[in-house]
Amino acid sequence: MNAVLELLDRAVLEVAPLLLGWRVRTEVDGEVTELELTEVEAYAGAADPASHAYRGPTRRNRSMFEGAGTLYVYRSYGVHWCANIVTGPPGSGEAVLLRGGVPTQGADVMIRRRGRIAPLAIGPGNLCRALAIDAGHDGTSVLRGPVLLSPGAPPPGVLATPRVGISVATDNPWRFVATPRT
């Protein structure tokens, strides 16, 4: 089993903080971009009323019920694309929302895509725009691409806080943020 699948094939609350420091890489129209994950949120499927998988599979969320390493991409409020990496066994509906990262390659491309210098990839919609992740990536594998996940250096520390931008299960400390490197 490769290192990526070995990490992802576990329960979401175990996986989410371990993803901090890992790299997400895309190649779109010949342009390579990559960032180091600094913020993620866990969504625990049927056990989590804030999860898109809470009420079971639908046409919109079917990728959440695939195997570990599947990318679930959805449109938020009709404006932003948001990307999640599925964890655990098929059918669990568990996934980690990618909320923020620091560019490690292709920052100039991210600046052009975002139309601004900073912050480039803070917030799930901004992260997807910087990496050019959209609906066409839904259901693809982060093990084979076109969006690739690879190991990185763990951060010095991890803060667990309540998730943001949700209206139910707001007290669960399932948002994980990397403490900055010095």
Side-chain angles (χ1 to χ4, degrees), residues 3-164:
V4 177
L5 186 55
E6 188 174 317
L7 171 73
L8 299 175
D9 199 16
R10 307 180 203 179
V12 71
L13 289 174
E14 183 181 349
V15 174
L18 296 176
L19 279 177
L20 297 174
W22 280 57
R23 308 284 176 107
V24 178
R25 177 185 182 91
T26 61
E27 184 173 346
V28 175
D29 297 329
E31 296 180 312
V32 175
T33 52
E34 181 184 81
L35 57 74
E36 176 182 309
L37 291 171
T38 58
E39 183 182 353
V40 297
E41 283 181 353
Y43 287 88
D48 180 3
S51 173
H52 289 178
Y54 182 64
R55 290 186 173 84
T58 66
R59 191 168 50 104
R60 177 187 189 207
N61 72 9
R62 71 181 173 272
S63 297
M64 286 187 81
F65 294 89
E66 298 296 324
T70 301
L71 202 62
Y72 165 52
V73 180
Y74 68 92
R75 190 78 127 169
S76 178
Y77 300 110
V79 179
H80 302 287
W81 294 110
C82 296
N84 298 257
I85 298 175
V86 174
T87 67
S92 69
E94 296 184 356
V96 177
L97 174 65
L98 308 181
R99 287 199 55 85
V102 175
T104 56
Q105 186 174 353
D108 56 329
V109 176
M110 293 183 199
I111 290 167
R112 188 181 74 250
R113 288 175 181 161
R114 290 283 332 279
R116 63 184 316 158
I117 293 174
L120 284 178
I122 303 302
N126 295 332
L127 181 147
C128 282
R129 189 167 180 192
L131 293 174
I133 296 173
D134 61 21
H137 297 104
D138 183 50
T140 62
S141 170
V142 297
L143 291 95
R144 294 180 294 282
V147 177
L148 293 170
L149 180 68
S150 62
V158 174
L159 300 173
T161 73
R163 296 175 292 188
V164 296

